[in-house]
Amino acid sequence: QRYLGGFAIGAINYSDTVEGAQIGVINLANDVKGCQIGVINACDNINGIQIGAINLITTSAVPVLPLVNVWF
């Protein structure tokens, strides 16, 4: 899915651009404006929050954090 406006709930969620929320076991996106909630969350850019066991924001000063990762 290229664009997600709203929210996605599933085991594995992938989208180029997210404006809203991804809720699942694995959440992957290029750009996020909102939140990712899952076991593994990964994105390139985020204006929001990730909540999960492993949280990856590739452009962040600290790219990988457990539990919570925030970047605005």
Side-chain angles (χ1 to χ4, degrees):
Q1 184 173 343
R2 298 198 46 84
Y3 173 80
L4 170 65
F7 64 93
I9 299 174
I12 300 173
N13 298 308
Y14 171 77
S15 190
D16 262 351
T17 302
V18 174
E19 290 186 7
Q22 288 181 316
I23 302 168
V25 178
I26 299 173
N27 299 305
L28 307 169
N30 291 327
D31 295 302
V32 176
K33 291 180 182 170
C35 68
Q36 291 181 312
I37 302 171
V39 177
I40 299 171
N41 302 304
C43 68
D44 293 329
N45 303 297
I46 190 169
N47 186 358
I49 186 169
Q50 294 175 320
I51 300 171
I54 299 171
N55 301 297
L56 170 67
I57 304 171
T58 59
T59 57
S60 174
V62 180
V64 179
L65 286 173
L67 303 179
V68 176
N69 202 352
V70 178
W71 190 255
F72 290 97

